[in-house]
Amino acid sequence: LLYTIKFEAMNDSTNSTLILPATILRPTISCTVAAIGTFTNTLSLSYFVQHRFEKRDLDILLYLLNFFDLIVCVSASAVQIFYQLTLRFTDVLPLETMLDISRDLFTAGIQCAGFTTMMLSVTRLMVMCMPFRKLRVLPIKIIMALYVLFMVVSSAYVHAHYYGHRMKVRMDINKEENYAGIIEINRFNLTMDLINLATIISVVFIANVISVILLAVKNQHTFRGDHTFRHAAITVLILSLLFMSLYTAFIHRLLICLTAEHRCDPKGIIAWLAQWVALPLNSTLNPMIYFLRAENMRQYLREKFCGQCLREKCCGGLERASRTW
């Protein structure tokens, strides 16, 4: 990141030959984060598919969160790759189409991953508040399906208007009017994204704060050697801080684009960090935290990667890492 900033600063002032390293470093960093996230989420998904939610019905939310995080990481890599290709091969319509599809998948993955995180936080709180009442999975599936349907409809509405205006601009039909229409539909899209993500973050914050407090209270009433509730409280706290900090950076960028358009540079270093590093990083670290904090998932890693003769050494190292966390 420091090299990227240094190259861009020097390029802006004097040396125009330094733009190539900067344009190479950005997609390299983003693709590296996304590639690691693709591996970790694929591994986590394999755990849920193999166990088929046999322990808890609400594991379906973790499965969906892994699925959407995987979409975020794969589409983030695709955006960087197709964007670099469009810079080198201009006016190639298939590349522009693939770039638009990758961006749409990335945006949908971010929105759905955030909503799934919110559902996970709310259901976790409901389980702690009503420990003797079994939550039904069907309402959760219906709510998730309705949200995905809402995303599809809103995305179709935005794209119909956006591409309609852009087609007219290319055909030289009322250019000024259609340029204004493109700006207006972009502002509408940014506003919807901002409201959606701000609501999700607020609900996640409130639900997780209450959950941590309840877990801390329950920990005070347990036997001295039992650290189950403290362990769960630390896990929820880590996940909350990670989600809040990285998603808030992206919301800050949306606010700048809506309130101060002259400061909204989609190619700037801040915009790149907020969208193409912070968001894939959240999707990358989510399964890592679960693998470090959840005993059943650590056991799956031991069975997956440790041979019989090396099992003790490998598992001992994994246990020491989890205890450190």
Side-chain angles (χ1 to χ4, degrees):
L1 299 181
L2 290 176
Y3 274 116
T4 305
I5 297 170
K6 179 182 177 182
F7 278 126
E8 289 191 346
M10 295 178 69
N11 176 61
D12 290 339
S13 59
T14 56
N15 194 347
S16 61
T17 62
L18 292 176
I19 190 171
L20 183 60
T23 56
I24 291 176
L25 279 171
R26 281 195 186 186
T28 301
I29 293 172
S30 298
C31 288
T32 301
V33 173
I36 297 173
T38 301
F39 172 75
T40 55
N41 280 287
T42 302
L43 187 63
S44 185
L45 273 176
S46 68
Y47 163 80
F48 288 110
V49 170
Q50 180 171 327
H51 288 75
R52 299 189 181 279
F53 322 116
E54 59 190 19
K55 292 188 176 181
R56 294 180 303 168
D57 291 335
L58 296 181
D59 278 353
I60 188 173
L61 288 174
L62 292 174
Y63 174 84
L64 289 174
L65 181 59
N66 275 156
F67 176 73
F68 292 131
D69 282 340
L70 181 61
I71 290 178
V72 169
C73 293
V74 173
S75 58
S77 298
V79 167
Q80 301 301 319
I81 292 171
F82 287 121
Y83 179 70
Q84 295 301 313
L85 290 175
T86 54
L87 291 179
R88 287 156 177 77
F89 305 99
T90 57
D91 297 329
V92 179
L93 188 59
L95 290 178
E96 294 181 1
T97 303
M98 293 304 296
L99 178 61
D100 290 338
I101 292 174
S102 301
R103 283 174 174 163
D104 294 340
L105 283 175
F106 180 80
T107 303
I110 289 299
Q111 301 280 359
C112 292
F115 187 80
T116 308
T117 303
M118 183 188 74
M119 290 290 296
L120 194 60
S121 301
V122 172
T123 52
R124 183 192 299 120
L125 179 60
M126 293 175 65
V127 168
M128 285 189 289
C129 293
M130 299 178 291
F132 301 106
R133 182 174 179 179
K134 182 178 176 61
L135 291 180
R136 298 178 62 186
V137 181
L138 181 60
I140 296 174
K141 293 181 178 179
I142 293 175
I143 292 173
M144 291 299 303
L146 289 175
Y147 182 79
V148 172
L149 179 63
F150 165 76
M151 290 294 302
V152 171
V153 172
S154 60
S155 178
Y157 171 81
V158 170
H159 281 72
H161 285 75
Y162 174 77
Y163 286 109
H165 289 303
R166 196 170 78 168
M167 185 70 69
K168 292 179 180 178
V169 168
R170 290 183 174 180
M171 297 172 63
D172 292 333
I173 301 175
N174 297 330
K175 271 193 173 183
E176 293 185 1
E177 181 180 345
N178 285 290
Y179 272 129
I182 290 175
I183 294 174
E184 190 64 28
I185 196 65
N186 282 335
R187 287 185 63 85
F188 170 79
N189 193 29
L190 288 173
T191 304
M192 291 297 295
D193 289 344
L194 181 62
I195 294 173
N196 190 14
L197 290 177
T199 303
I200 287 172
I201 286 182
S202 301
V203 174
V204 169
F205 175 76
I206 294 172
N208 285 349
V209 166
I210 298 175
S211 297
V212 170
I213 293 174
L214 291 177
L215 288 170
V217 171
K218 289 183 177 181
N219 184 63
Q220 299 295 325
H221 298 85
T222 57
F223 295 104
R224 182 166 296 182
D226 188 4
H227 302 298
T228 303
F229 292 115
R230 187 180 70 177
H231 185 86
I234 294 173
T235 302
V236 173
L237 185 61
I238 293 172
L239 293 170
S240 302
L241 291 175
L242 176 68
F243 178 81
M244 295 287 297
S245 58
L246 297 179
Y247 267 68
T248 302
F250 182 62
I251 284 184
H252 180 258
R253 179 188 174 248
L254 294 179
L255 278 173
I256 291 177
C257 292
L258 281 172
T259 58
E261 293 182 2
H262 63 282
R263 294 174 54 200
C264 183
D265 182 10
K267 297 181 181 179
I269 185 70
I270 302 300
W272 169 70
L273 285 172
Q275 185 165 3
W276 302 113
V277 176
L279 296 180
L281 186 61
N282 176 74
S283 299
T284 299
L285 294 178
N286 264 336
M288 291 184 179
I289 294 172
Y290 279 109
F291 273 122
L292 284 170
R293 302 292 299 175
E295 170 61 30
N296 51 348
M297 298 185 76
R298 292 201 303 271
Q299 180 64 31
Y300 175 74
L301 283 182
R302 289 193 286 267
E303 295 172 355
K304 191 81 173 176
F305 294 107
C306 298
Q308 292 294 331
C309 58
L310 299 177
R311 189 176 299 274
E312 291 185 2
K313 293 181 180 179
C314 180
C315 298
L318 194 61
E319 288 297 332
R320 285 193 295 273
S322 64
R323 284 198 299 269
T324 303
W325 275 77

